[in-house]
Amino acid sequence: MDNEFEISRRRLIGGAAIAATAVAGSTSATARKLASAKSAMPPRFLWGAATSGYQVEGNNINSDFWFLEHVKLPGGSSPFPDKSGDACDHYHRFAEDIKLLASLGLNSYRFSLEWSRIEPEKGEYSKAELDHYRRMAATCREHGVTPCITFNHFTTPRWFAFEGGWDAASSPELFARYCEFAVKGVGDLAGLATTLNEPNVGLMLQWSDMPAEVKAGMVAMPAMVGAHSPTGTFSIWMAGDQSKKLPNMLKAHEKGFEAIKAGPGDFPVGVSLAVTDDQAVGKGSMRDAKRAACYEPWMDLIARCSDFMGVQNYSRLRFDTEGAMKPPAGAELTSTGEEFYPEALGNAIRYAHARTKKPIYVTENGIATNDDTRRVEHMRRAIASMQSCINDGVPVHGYLHWSLLDNYEWGRYAPRFGLVAVDLATQVRTPKPSAYELGKFARANIS
Ligand code: BGC
């Protein structure tokens, strides 16, 4: 269990060892043809990119994850290879980054509010920090960019983690109270909002193809870290007993939804789920059991308490009678060990819509790779698969690529998901060809 923390969330979902197999390849002509079927695109389609506060801002020292980054494991080692540190210094450079996003032709930006800045101590709210996020939303508006605001992207204040996090019965109320305060600062500028980002991810990790001992380590982790917390307790979204967190997170979405809908502002509010394209292989496949555990409680709630569902997809996962299978032999893998399988996006969208009957926004889709030609190919084919859903009448209203920037991938800087490269030493931004490619889709379809 020594290394159970040395994980990237994405790597765990893919479940395979890191293997950069960036193989440059030619673009599929079919994908290009499908992707240029502009006529099918709904009006005011959101073409954009996403980030999360913790992964790009830097120095979120009041956050649960910052605490986790700095815990010393037995023997004195750190749980993670990299610390987030200054990250992309987006906290200070957001104006430059939003301007860059707009210059690419994108019309929307998904970013998250960092709860630990806005409520640094329980019940003590910071108007000044909320104003920071208001300035971000206002900067988006100045550039004709729709702000898509995530109220919680994984990280919570450390005081919340020390009180039991999402395990605590009080957590839905605490989250709703924070949403009520936060929406007052940004609601009138928001164009779209999500309450929680991938609240099902802890469950997904348990259904991934990662080794059983790593899964067990994830469950045991909060107890180990709790020993370092002032209350003796530490609970974080991705680890621990998910059956305890699920009812509280469901309730948190419901209460947060109500708080955000109370306004100010009038914009769609939803929740984003991690949705792999889960495929059943053979008789007695565990695929449906995974769906029942990881999505269905959420989808039932979304059907009655959400304006839309956010779909976040990176790959597919095949299931036999034992559970998740490894990628097929010889399959191209991304640098976080997932199968290169862009068409997973369309399948995930179809499943999400069939189950919830709600409008869909793709709030994340992307690939970890050092070879941007593979990102371009992945994007083209994923968008083609999304467009085929739209052609079949599925109401998809936006595509927000993960991520705008190369950023902190929950413990490591090595996986590169960004459309824009960031030199961590100089903070210089350099758009990659994939950034211009997404801009082309956006420019072609903005009506
Ligand atoms: C998460 C991001 C993460 C990305 C890539 C998403 O599921 O929302 O925070 O960086 O996956 O792993």
Side-chain angles (χ1 to χ4, degrees), residues 43-47 107-111 113 133-134 136-142 144-151 182-183 185-195 257 260-261 263-270 307-308 359-361 363 397-398 400:
R44 289 184 295 281
F45 192 83
L46 296 185
W47 286 105
N107 67 3
S108 48
Y109 179 40
R110 173 174 180 249
F111 62 93
L113 312 181
Y133 294 105
R134 181 170 182 78
M136 286 184 73
T139 305
C140 288
R141 290 293 182 195
E142 277 161 29
V145 167
T146 299
C148 304
I149 302 179
T150 307
F151 278 66
V183 74
V186 294
D188 59 323
L189 295 171
L192 190 83
T194 48
T195 52
F257 176 83
I260 298 169
K261 287 306 262 187
D266 183 14
F267 47 88
V269 181
D307 297 326
F308 68 90
I360 303 293
Y361 286 83
T363 42
H397 295 289
L400 294 131

Side-chain angles (χ1 to χ4, degrees), residues 106-126:
L106 305 182
N107 67 3
S108 48
Y109 179 40
R110 173 174 180 249
F111 62 93
S112 75
L113 312 181
E114 176 65 23
W115 184 359
S116 68
R117 289 188 191 269
I118 295 175
E119 192 180 356
E121 292 295 338
K122 188 177 182 182
E124 286 181 29
Y125 296 96
S126 168

Side-chain angles (χ1 to χ4, degrees), residues 9-10 55 153-154 197-198 314 364 402 409-410 417:
R9 203 212 52 72
R10 177 55 47 198
Q55 293 176 270
H153 193 118
F154 293 155
N197 178 73
E198 297 188 351
Y314 289 83
E364 285 183 27
W402 185 269
E409 178 57 18
W410 305 115
F417 282 92

